[in-house]
Amino acid sequence: MNQSNTQDSAQKDAQTDDSTVQADLQTQQVIDLQMSMAHLEMTVERLDAVIARQDKDLQTLQRQLQLIYKQVDSQDTETGIAPFDVMADRPPHY
């Protein structure tokens, strides 16, 4: 009887140890997932800031391009830059 109590106690201790190890592994996995999530959130925030800045830069460039088009359209061809004509402006070696 004493031997059977000792075996039962050893089995219970082994099960408790297995449960503790499994709980520790699950806790570590949760911690790892939380850390990965935090890194991903930081990356998303940085990318969002980059996209917002690029959008602002793109809008500025589009406005500048519109102004340049307006200036080119409003220029007189005699006083401004004449349009390029491939046949009239051939290089001399042709």
Side-chain angles (χ1 to χ4, degrees), residues 7-79:
Q7 287 177 349
D8 287 343
S9 177
Q11 285 178 350
K12 288 179 183 178
D13 288 343
Q15 288 174 351
T16 303
D17 288 344
D18 287 343
S19 296
T20 303
V21 168
Q22 190 173 8
D24 288 345
L25 285 174
Q26 287 177 347
T27 302
Q28 186 60 42
Q29 288 174 340
V30 169
I31 291 170
D32 290 344
L33 287 172
Q34 288 173 338
M35 288 175 57
S36 294
M37 182 116 170
H39 287 293
L40 289 173
E41 287 174 352
M42 288 173 46
T43 301
V44 167
E45 288 173 7
R46 285 188 207 136
L47 289 173
D48 185 53
V50 167
I51 290 171
R53 181 180 42 94
Q54 287 178 342
D55 183 55
K56 183 180 174 183
D57 292 345
L58 185 60
Q59 289 175 1
T60 301
L61 290 171
Q62 286 174 336
R63 282 192 302 269
Q64 290 174 350
L65 187 59
Q66 287 174 349
L67 290 173
I68 290 171
Y69 279 141
K70 286 179 184 178
Q71 287 176 349
V72 169
D73 285 342
S74 67
Q75 283 182 346
D76 187 18
T77 56
E78 292 179 18
T79 61

